[in-house]
Structure formats: C-alpha cells, structure tokens
Amino acid sequence: GFWGLVLWILAVNALVAAAVAAARSPTSSARPLLWLGGAALLVAGNFIYGSQVIRRADAEHAVDGKPEPQRILVAQPDIRREIKWRPEKKAEVVACVLEHARAAAAAGERAGGFDLFVWPETVLPTRLLSDPPVVTRVESWVEREDVPLLLGTQEGYWGRWAGERTWIAHNSALVIYPDGRRSKIYRKMRLVPFSERFPLQKLVPGLGAIDFGQSNFFPGDSLRVWQLELGADSVAAGCLICFESAFPEMARGFVQRGARLLFNITNDFWFERTAGPVQHAEMVIHRAVENRVPIVRCANTGISFVVDPWGRVSHETGLFTQAAFVASVHPQAGSLAARLGDRILWPVVLPLAAALVRGGLRRRRRR
C-alpha cells in the first residue's frame, strides 16, 4: 500500500545514508558494507518477490475453467474545453459524443463484442437526468446497443443545506441499462478545492458566495458499490471520479465494501499538454496494485487505459485524440493493504515515537 511503499523507500535511503556516515566517520565501529548489504537486500527482495507474485498470477489465469473476463469498451470522445460548456455548442457536442459512441460500438462488435460501454466524467454538457431530450437519445442508443452504459454527469436539485433551501449540484456517475433501469447514483465525495468547491464551507457557509469562477458542487455522503449486470454475470464495482484516484482510502473503501473492479472516469483537459494528465493517470496504477484490483480508466481527452492488479498497463491512449478500445478484464480484489488500511502505520509510528522521546531525553541528560 501507499504507506508500505513510503516505508520501503525511507528504509532503503536510511541504510544508504548510514553506510555513507559510517564510511566518513573515523571513529565509527559500524561497517559501511553491512548497511549497503541491507539496502541491497531490500531492493533485491522486492524484485524477487514481485516477479514470483506476477508469475503465479499469470499461471492461475492460464488454467482452464477460470471465469471468463469481462469485455469493456472505453470511449474517449476528446471534447475540447473551447466548446464543451458553451451553450450554443451543446447540440454539436451531444451529436459528436453520440457519433463517436456509435463508431466505437461498431468497432467493438467487429472485435468480438463487449459487455459494458464506458464514458468519461461529465461526458455531456448538461445535467443529463434533468434533460429529457438528451437522456431520451442516450437511453435509446443504449437500448439499440443492448449493453449497459457507465457514464459521468452533472446532477442538480433543490434541497436544504445549513438549514436553508438551496440548489444542490453534484458531480455524479451512474449506469444505464438497456431495459431503461438505472443504477443508484454515486456522487463524488472528494471535490477539487477552488475548482469544484470553495473549501471550508461547512464551517463558514458564506465562503460559497466568493466567486473565482469555480463550480459549486456539493460532496456526496457515501461510497456506493454497484452490482453490475454484465450479460449472465454480476460484478461488484466502484467508480472513482477524477482526482479521487489520488486518495488511497477512496479505492480501499470500495474494495472493503466488496468491489472487485474499479473505474476511474475523468476530464483532464484543464491540464492541457503538461505533466498533469500523466501524473494524474499514474496515480491509478498504485491504487490498482495496493488493492490487487483491476482499474479501467476513461478520460475525456486522455489518458485512458486499463491497469491490472499488478500494475501492468494496457490499451493506453494518447492525449487530445479520439480513441476507443475493448479490453478483457478479470475482476478480482483483495490485499493486505486493503484489509489493514492505515493500521499498518502503528507498528512503525509507535516505535518511532518512542525512539524520538528516548533520543530527546538522552540529549537533555547530556546537556
């Protein structure tokens, strides 16, 4: 997990630092090679253990009788920020997204078919569930394709906040089925500060009146695990919206609630062609490894891909290009990090705190 990786990095560096200090000190009785040997053992042990785990996992998937993988179609429509939220471009954007979806689905059928179609975060420039003409077009398309559709959308309704009636908006995700059913809605819980919501509004409600051009979404109140109906199979799945993938506890929470497959839907066109979309995408890889769960990432303008439970990325798309692919995914989950969570810190933090107190007392006595 995240903290285990941090501990491993610190341990390797501390051993190397101890070796350097021992080599420089003429009075030290410690042997530099001993410290360097410990660092080498940590590095080599990591690679040896990792290679054995991956080899064993590949052998298990190769055994006959294993459940068939789920075939998931990921569509990257590449709708640019210059047009996406302009009201006069709404009809053009909706038509573009649906046309790309039709082409992607046709290609997916030629490639052997698929069980689920995935669109990115807020794929259409509208509150879909409150826009009858657009939602009718989307549901009609889903019915024709006869596969479920997972997508992100804005959502809004009148409700009460801090004792007052107010307009409540969410950044949400849901699944639409060919027979017209909809999954329960997952509402994004980790909102981007100053972009999706001004921070600390629970403590100071008036902060929401400050306008920097940000959205004013409200956070969701719970993780939601869907039981996806994919053909004859039912798969427990969760969805990380945008930068929720940066928080280990979010992915871990879905897995602890039974999810065996995760999705990350996002819209990263704000980053343009910087290191931002690359770094954001790489966070997903660690979420997959630490929970031993496959993750399907669908981004509006890229980078979209699939990462398996051992961190191996496939079907990676480029930035600012229309793309689509069908990936075979084996749902599974479960790891020590997922079970323990942050409790893994206690065996490290308590001895470290004791050592710091002891060192402080010894220094005080010497003085």
Side-chain angles (χ1 to χ4, degrees), residues 17-349:
V20 172
R24 287 180 175 178
S25 175
T27 61
S28 175
S29 60
R31 297 180 179 180
L33 290 179
L34 186 62
W35 296 116
L36 287 177
L41 185 62
L42 281 178
V43 173
N46 182 53
F47 281 97
I48 293 171
Y49 172 73
S51 64
Q52 292 297 320
V53 169
I54 291 175
R55 188 177 297 113
R56 185 167 59 249
D58 288 342
E60 289 175 356
H61 282 308
V63 174
D64 291 336
K66 282 287 182 181
E68 289 295 317
Q70 302 298 329
R71 291 179 57 81
I72 298 173
L73 193 157
V74 173
Q76 179 177 303
D78 187 36
I79 305 301
R80 307 298 176 91
R81 65 183 299 180
E82 292 81 8
I83 67 170
K84 183 168 182 178
W85 300 110
R86 291 171 59 180
E88 69 274 16
K89 295 288 187 179
K90 175 183 172 181
E92 177 185 340
V93 171
V94 172
C96 180
V97 171
L98 287 173
E99 180 58 35
H100 178 256
R102 282 189 284 268
E109 290 296 340
R110 291 193 296 271
F114 51 95
D115 304 305
L116 176 69
F117 195 103
V118 182
W119 264 341
E121 174 190 21
T122 57
V123 60
L124 297 169
T126 182
R127 292 189 292 274
L128 182 66
L129 303 183
S130 304
D131 192 336
V134 178
V135 76
T136 298
R137 292 179 65 182
V138 171
E139 289 179 334
S140 297
W141 179 82
V142 173
E143 183 181 6
R144 285 195 303 272
E145 293 297 331
D146 196 29
V147 291
L149 168 67
L150 188 157
L151 75 159
T153 183
Q154 291 188 10
E155 182 192 8
Y157 55 88
W158 287 100
R160 302 196 70 79
W161 177 262
E164 296 183 4
R165 189 169 184 268
T166 188
W167 178 256
I168 296 178
H170 294 289
N171 187 348
S172 305
L174 74 156
V175 180
I176 299 175
Y177 289 95
D179 59 6
R181 289 178 298 120
R182 301 171 185 171
S183 71
K184 292 185 178 180
I185 297 173
Y186 170 64
R187 292 166 178 144
K188 185 177 180 182
M189 299 177 66
R190 293 278 188 167
L191 300 174
V192 181
F194 301 103
S195 174
E196 292 184 313
R197 184 168 180 81
F198 204 95
L200 302 177
Q201 288 193 50
K202 279 192 173 181
L203 298 177
V204 186
L207 289 174
I210 300 175
D211 185 8
F212 288 125
Q214 78 276 9
S215 301
N216 193 30
F217 289 121
F218 285 70
D221 57 7
S222 63
L223 297 174
R224 190 174 299 284
V225 174
W226 297 317
Q227 287 294 331
L228 296 181
E229 299 174 21
L230 306 180
D233 298 323
S234 177
V235 179
C239 185
L240 301 163
I241 300 178
C242 190
F243 97 138
E244 287 185 328
S245 62
F247 299 92
E249 66 272 16
M250 294 293 297
R252 184 172 67 239
F254 280 117
V255 171
Q256 289 176 340
R257 286 164 175 78
R260 300 177 65 243
L261 170 63
L262 294 182
F263 296 89
N264 176 218
I265 58 174
T266 187
N267 177 27
D268 286 351
F269 61 30
W270 319 99
F271 290 125
E272 300 291 345
R273 293 185 181 274
T274 64
V278 178
Q279 293 172 349
H280 189 200
E282 288 178 345
M283 294 175 185
V284 174
I285 300 173
H286 200 269
R287 300 292 83 80
V289 172
E290 67 188 358
N291 292 288
R292 288 289 187 266
V293 58
I295 300 182
V296 178
R297 188 175 199 265
C298 181
N300 173 33
T301 55
I303 303 168
S304 303
F305 57 73
V306 174
V307 56
D308 74 7
W310 300 276
R312 294 175 294 188
V313 174
S314 63
H315 302 85
E316 184 171 339
T317 65
L319 284 171
F320 294 101
T321 180
Q322 282 194 341
F325 61 81
V326 177
S328 295
V329 179
H330 291 271
Q332 68 176 67
S335 69
L336 182 64
R339 291 191 296 272
L340 291 181
D342 292 340
R343 285 176 291 179
I344 196 173
L345 284 174
W346 289 111
V348 178
V349 172

